């Protein structure tokens, strides 16, 4: 028998779906006629391709952008979300998957296994706090870790916030005076003052009386040059990313416009905004990856991002949609250290998977753990991985890859484009070694300077699993 929490969750989900379908049916033609939605936009490149991701929450720590996302399952029709994922980058074009960083299993008090909605992670006093909403009136929980990678643990054993069925999409601002605020809500904005421990609050929960124009859900609050900003999913449905500004963290908020316009490819949305090495970036999500393979609609979303530019008066320049080329690369990638195979600027065909390798072959006799691995899978003929802006400096002599052969095949490593010159060919010439990891090496043809690199896979089917790669610099010739 369903619990009250489960019934509330199902009813809320049904209401949200009905509301969005009706609004889309009624308003979409108006958006298109008025030009607020973009028609016939060119194909985009979501920054994550191996999984369906949504609700991006970027955080900068130690010169790295950590990107926490929700996770739409590959077979999702409606919202089917069980865990949260983590990706990271130092150049804003190549993103490395860390894997699952937390899940609903972290909370003993959550009564269901589907409902891992939009989170945000912040750092304070050397601790990392992951704020997690549980839809259906269950509340907003918090997890704590000593590292942005986790492991995260529930310090409370109960919700931090349990106020109403609107308790979704938390976002955190730590102001210059040290006061932290949490904002959340759909279709109204709520906020509360957090204590310094970040796992309790003081004062009353306030429903913000000046909910900004076109506000729907997914607030994201930050401060710049003494001004407060609130971005949010706007103009449902479809949803773009709108924003409002204020002179105070508690409002009133005044609508200023759209950061990213609504589009037929962004039926829902959720902003995440961050400054990194002197530039600002706006993240959101779309159905771009799904629409590459089907005209049908499922809740299988993909995170996009682009540079965000301020005007001299502090307002933000509008972007019709995410650009095809994406942001500029912040710094080149070093190929002369181990690079995880799940580091990519773009890929076609492949997926990723986590697995623990044990000494033994049986569940009841595993022996010692050898390694926890996250690796690239589903590799077939013609699939490829693109890594952008690889700096070979004065040249490379050889390349080494770690793979687990299935039917075997080859990796053609090409420069600058998918059919560009072959700089190395790695021959994985053994088979039936799934779960057993081996390294293969190949000589590298002359290449210097910075190039995009394509790992193009050749063979028949189910070639191998791919864990990591590394180039080795050219040695100076002896006179």
């Amino acid at each position: 028998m369903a619990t009250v929490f489960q019934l509330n969750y199902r009813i809320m989900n049904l209401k949200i779906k009905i509301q969005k379908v009706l609004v889309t049916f009624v308003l979409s033609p108006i958006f298109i006629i008025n030009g607020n939605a973009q028609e016939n936009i060119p194909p985009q490149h979501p920054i994550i391709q191996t999984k369906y991701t949504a609700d991006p929450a970027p955080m900068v720590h130690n010169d790295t952008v950590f990107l926490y996302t929700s996770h739409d399952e590959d077979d999702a029709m409606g919202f089917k979300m069980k865990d949260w994922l983590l990706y990271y980058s130092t150049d804003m074009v190549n993103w490395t998957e860390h894997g699952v960083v937390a899940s609903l299993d972290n909370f003993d008090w959550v009564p269901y296994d589907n409902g891992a909605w939009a989170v945000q992670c912040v750092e304070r006093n050397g601790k990392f706090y992951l704020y997690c909403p549980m839809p259906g009136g269950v509340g907003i929980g918090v997890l704590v870790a000593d590292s942005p990678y986790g492991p995260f643990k529930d310090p409370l054993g109960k919700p931090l916030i349990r106020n109403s069925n609107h308790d979704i999409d938390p976002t955190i601002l730590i102001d210059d005076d040290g006061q932290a605020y949490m904002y959340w809500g759909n279709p109204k904005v709520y906020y509360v003052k957090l204590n310094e421990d970040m796992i309790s609050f003081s004062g009353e929960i306030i429903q913000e009386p000046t909910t900004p124009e076109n506000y729907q859900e997914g607030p994201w609050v930050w401060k710049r040059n003494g001004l407060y900003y609130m971005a949010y999913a706007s103009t449902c449905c479809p949803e773009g990313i709108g924003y409002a500004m204020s002179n105070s963290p508690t409002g009133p908020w005044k609508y200023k416009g759209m950061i990213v316009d609504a589009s037929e490819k962004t039926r829902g949305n959720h902003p995440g905004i961050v400054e990194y090495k002197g530039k600002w970036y706006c993240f959101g999500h779309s159905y771009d990856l799904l629409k590459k393979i089907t005209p049908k609609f499922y809740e299988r979303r993909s995170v996009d991002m682009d540079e965000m530019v301020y005007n001299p008066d502090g307002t933000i320049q509008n972007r019709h949609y995410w650009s095809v080329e994406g942001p500029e690369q912040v710094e080149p990638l070093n190929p002369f250290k181990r690079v995880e195979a799940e580091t990519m600027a773009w890929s076609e065909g492949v997926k990723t998977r986590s697995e623990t390798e044990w000494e033994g072959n049986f569940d009841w006799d595993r022996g010692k753990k050898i390694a926890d691995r996250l690796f690239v899978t589903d590799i077939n003929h013609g699939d490829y991985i693109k890594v952008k802006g690889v700096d070979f400096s004065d040249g490379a002599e050889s390349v080494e890859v770690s793979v687990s052969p299935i039917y075997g095949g080859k990796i053609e490593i090409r420069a600058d484009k998918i059919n560009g010159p072959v700089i190395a060919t790695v021959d994985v010439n053994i088979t039936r070694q799934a779960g057993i990891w081996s390294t293969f090496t190949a000589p590298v043809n002359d290449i210097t300077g910075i190039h995009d690199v394509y790992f193009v896979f050749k063979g028949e089917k189910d070639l191998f699993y791919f864990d990591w790669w590394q180039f080795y610099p050219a040695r100076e010739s002896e006179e």
Side-chain angles (χ1 to χ4, degrees):
M1 180 178 293
T3 66
V4 173
F5 286 148
Q6 289 170 325
L7 288 173
N8 284 342
Y9 174 61
R10 292 169 187 170
I11 290 169
M12 190 189 73
N13 256 332
L14 182 60
K15 286 180 177 178
I16 290 173
K17 290 175 183 177
I18 291 172
Q19 179 191 46
K20 290 192 173 184
V21 168
L22 288 175
V23 174
T24 301
F25 177 77
V26 173
L27 295 184
S28 287
I30 297 174
F31 283 141
I32 293 171
I33 291 171
N34 290 342
N36 291 330
Q38 305 303 306
E39 287 187 287
N40 301 318
I41 55 179
Q44 306 301 312
H45 283 179
I47 62 175
I48 309 299
Q49 309 87 43
T50 56
K51 288 182 171 68
Y52 290 110
T53 56
D55 306 318
M59 177 190 71
V60 176
H61 179 69
N62 286 350
D63 286 333
T64 300
V65 178
F66 293 89
L67 178 63
Y68 299 83
T69 75
S70 54
H71 175 205
D72 294 334
E73 298 290 337
D74 284 357
D75 61 350
M77 298 189 72
F79 293 120
K80 187 177 180 182
M81 307 161 70
K82 300 183 176 184
D83 50 35
W84 296 282
L85 306 178
L86 173 60
Y87 299 82
Y88 57 92
S89 177
T90 58
D91 62 16
M92 303 306 286
V93 296
N94 298 302
W95 292 88
T96 303
E97 181 179 351
H98 172 73
V100 174
V101 71
S103 76
L104 294 175
D105 291 339
N106 287 80
F107 299 97
D108 292 338
W109 45 270
V110 174
Y112 44 66
D113 63 358
N114 177 16
W117 288 16
V119 299
Q120 185 177 354
C121 187
V122 297
E123 184 272 337
R124 187 168 197 176
N125 298 328
K127 299 285 187 180
F128 297 85
Y129 300 89
L130 187 67
Y131 296 87
C132 309
M134 313 301 166
V138 176
I140 298 173
V142 59
L143 300 174
V144 185
D146 294 324
S147 162
Y149 301 102
F152 284 91
K153 296 181 179 179
D154 179 5
L156 298 178
K158 62 181 182 178
L160 168 62
I161 297 291
R162 188 175 170 194
N163 184 56
S164 71
N165 282 338
H166 300 170
D167 296 342
I168 63 170
D169 297 343
T171 184
I172 309 298
L173 168 72
I174 302 177
D175 208 348
D176 297 337
D177 62 2
Q179 179 60 60
Y181 299 83
M182 181 163 69
Y183 310 78
W184 70 93
N186 172 347
K188 298 292 184 179
V189 179
Y190 299 81
Y191 72 88
V192 73
K193 290 184 177 181
L194 295 177
N195 295 325
E196 189 172 355
D197 65 8
M198 302 299 283
I199 60 172
S200 62
F201 63 89
S202 298
E204 297 181 356
I205 295 173
I206 306 296
Q207 179 180 318
E208 216 294 308
T210 59
T211 296
E213 181 182 344
N214 293 334
Y215 177 88
Q216 180 65 36
E217 58 187 343
W220 186 278
V221 179
W222 74 101
K223 187 178 183 181
R224 175 183 179 269
N225 293 345
L227 298 173
Y228 297 86
Y229 295 78
M230 178 186 291
Y232 46 84
S234 179
T235 64
C236 180
C237 281
E239 292 177 349
I241 297 176
Y243 77 104
M245 295 174 63
S246 177
N247 292 318
S248 165
T250 58
W253 298 94
K254 185 176 180 180
Y255 175 71
K256 290 295 184 179
M258 300 293 287
I259 301 174
V260 181
D261 288 337
S263 155
E264 75 276 8
K265 299 183 93 175
T266 59
R267 184 166 173 253
N269 223 316
H270 191 290
I273 292 170
V274 70
E275 181 185 16
Y276 182 62
K277 295 191 174 180
K279 291 186 176 182
W280 286 81
Y281 299 89
C282 178
F283 294 72
H285 64 230
S286 70
Y287 296 86
D288 288 330
L289 211 59
L290 176 69
K291 294 306 180 184
K292 287 177 178 290
I293 61 173
T294 180
K296 291 186 175 184
F297 175 81
Y298 306 107
E299 289 293 355
R300 304 174 195 171
R301 297 159 291 178
S302 300
V303 170
D304 297 89
M305 62 87 74
D306 227 318
E307 187 177 348
M308 187 179 79
V309 180
Y310 292 92
N311 295 310
D313 64 356
T315 57
I316 300 170
Q317 294 184 14
N318 169 260
R319 194 179 272 284
H320 288 311
Y321 198 65
W322 315 105
S323 66
V324 177
E325 65 277 6
E328 293 183 357
Q329 188 167 3
V330 172
E331 61 186 22
L333 185 141
N334 178 7
F336 301 123
K337 63 180 183 180
R338 171 172 160 166
V339 179
E340 301 302 318
E342 58 275 12
T343 299
M344 23 184 119
W346 183 251
S347 65
E348 291 278 0
V350 301
K351 305 291 285 183
T352 56
R353 190 173 86 211
S354 297
E355 189 175 275
T356 299
E357 183 181 3
W358 302 90
E359 286 182 338
N361 296 325
F362 301 100
D363 186 57
W364 48 267
D365 187 21
R366 294 181 177 180
K368 294 182 180 179
K369 183 170 72 172
I370 297 175
D372 290 317
R373 297 182 185 272
L374 176 66
F375 49 90
V376 176
T377 66
D378 292 64
I379 300 174
N380 292 284
H381 179 78
D383 294 343
Y384 69 92
I385 294 170
K386 175 186 177 182
V387 182
K388 195 169 183 178
V390 178
D391 187 0
F392 290 98
S393 188
D394 295 328
E397 182 177 85
S398 63
V399 62
E400 182 180 27
V401 303
S402 174
V403 298
S404 176
I406 305 175
Y407 288 97
K410 295 183 179 182
I411 306 175
E412 292 182 352
I413 304 177
R414 295 177 175 266
D416 299 320
K417 51 187 178 180
I418 193 170
N419 59 351
V422 177
I423 62 171
T425 300
V426 181
D427 187 7
V428 181
N429 54 11
I430 59 176
T431 63
R432 298 177 58 212
Q433 297 289 303
I436 301 173
W437 294 91
S438 304
T439 56
F440 293 79
T441 59
V444 175
N445 298 331
D446 290 340
I447 186 168
T448 59
I450 299 175
H451 299 267
D452 295 344
V453 172
Y454 290 76
F455 294 83
V456 184
F457 305 111
K458 300 291 185 177
E460 294 186 4
K461 62 177 183 178
D462 294 332
L463 309 185
F464 36 73
Y465 303 139
F466 187 14
D467 192 12
W468 55 264
W469 56 268
Q470 181 174 350
F471 284 85
Y472 294 91
R475 291 176 293 183
E476 294 183 4
S477 58
E478 299 180 1
E479 294 183 359

